[in-house]
Amino acid sequence: MTASASPADWTLDDAVAALEEDIVFGRLHPRQRLTEDELMARFGLKRHAVRQALGRLELMGAIERRPNVGAEVRAFSTTEVMELYALRELLEARAASLIPLPVAPARLEPLIAIQREHDAAVAAGDARHVFRCNHQFHRELFALTDNPILQQAIEEYARRTHPIRFGTLAAAGYRERARQEHWSMIEALRAGDREALVALCGQHIIPSRDAYLAAERLRSGRAA
């Protein structure tokens, strides 16, 4: 769904995806309120559908709903950010240690195809498509573990950090770094280089953590 779509064209799924992207790309900021009336007008949805959308975003960990306050974009403390990323690093490094290496060319092809699409999105400066391709790349990467429970845990905690990632997804330099690291992961999978793969999976997520913390320090300084 494009930003120019008329309200009559929006579905519940479209609205959830659009709001998720607004949060991921920093168009909606931590602690920013989301009012039902504004969302009804924007998406042309009934109140019950807007409430469903907010409920789904809350389950993702993207927003919070509090009595007498309403819905607002989730803000994370330094401790929460550090703990979330420590857990992600643990899960993703564990997954990298379990993938049977080297990976056969036939199993690498879907990952390579996604990465080529990611390359094109980075080259075009299409941050929205970069975000979606990046998600698909990591889903395909960790599917190589053949461990659906671990895959589900990785995807859950990656989604919970979506509101933290706007500092990197909005910056062309970070997108290019991620693109290069994806190809390094593919090469490690092909070559059977376990040590490189585990290290890459661990370091790959750190820039988004650090960018969020830096932005929060700046925001707190301005507020002070």
Side-chain angles (χ1 to χ4, degrees):
M1 177 67 66
T2 64
S4 60
S6 70
D9 296 327
W10 291 93
T11 67
L12 175 59
D13 288 344
D14 292 332
V16 171
L19 289 168
E20 181 186 27
E21 288 175 5
D22 284 349
I23 293 168
V24 166
F25 294 118
R27 293 188 288 266
L28 293 172
H29 300 290
R31 304 179 188 86
Q32 184 170 338
R33 290 192 64 203
L34 302 173
T35 68
E36 291 180 4
D37 288 345
E38 288 176 351
L39 297 179
M40 289 167 63
R42 175 180 173 183
F43 298 116
L45 297 175
K46 301 294 187 183
R47 191 173 301 277
H48 74 276
V50 165
R51 288 177 177 170
Q52 281 183 274
L54 292 173
R56 284 167 58 175
L57 289 164
E58 186 176 29
L59 285 173
M60 290 179 190
I63 69 166
E64 295 179 294
R65 289 192 290 184
R66 295 186 289 163
N68 304 317
V69 174
E72 61 181 25
V73 177
R74 175 84 184 273
F76 296 83
S77 69
T78 298
T79 298
E80 288 173 325
V81 172
M82 296 300 291
E83 289 178 350
L84 272 170
Y85 273 81
L87 181 54
R88 282 194 65 192
E89 188 174 0
L90 183 68
L91 289 169
E92 295 182 25
R94 178 58 176 164
S97 75
L98 292 176
I99 295 172
L101 297 179
V103 177
R107 290 209 69 182
L108 271 181
E109 274 308 310
L111 190 65
I112 291 170
I114 292 167
Q115 186 49 42
R116 286 176 178 149
E117 189 175 348
H118 183 263
D119 287 350
V122 171
D126 185 347
R128 181 177 183 269
H129 198 45
V130 169
F131 170 56
R132 296 299 173 189
C133 288
N134 183 72
H135 181 68
Q136 291 175 347
F137 177 89
H138 288 279
R139 177 181 288 174
E140 191 70 33
L141 170 65
F142 295 121
L144 295 171
T145 62
D146 294 321
N147 184 328
I149 301 300
L150 181 55
Q151 291 169 239
Q152 185 178 9
I154 289 170
E155 189 158 347
E156 169 66 19
Y157 283 97
R159 186 176 290 278
R160 286 184 179 275
T161 60
H162 280 181
I164 298 173
R165 298 172 59 201
F166 66 84
T168 50
L169 285 168
Y174 283 115
R175 295 198 296 265
E176 174 60 21
R177 171 179 169 166
R179 187 192 72 79
Q180 293 178 14
E181 288 178 351
H182 285 180
W183 281 111
S184 295
M185 291 176 194
I186 290 169
E187 183 53 37
L189 292 165
R190 181 186 285 121
D193 190 340
R194 177 85 60 197
E195 183 177 353
L197 181 63
V198 171
L200 282 162
C201 288
Q203 72 189 36
H204 188 63
I205 63 175
I206 299 305
S208 58
R209 180 199 70 185
D210 291 348
Y212 182 90
L213 293 175
E216 281 297 287
R217 285 194 295 270
L218 182 61
R219 190 177 292 111
S220 297
R222 286 174 176 167

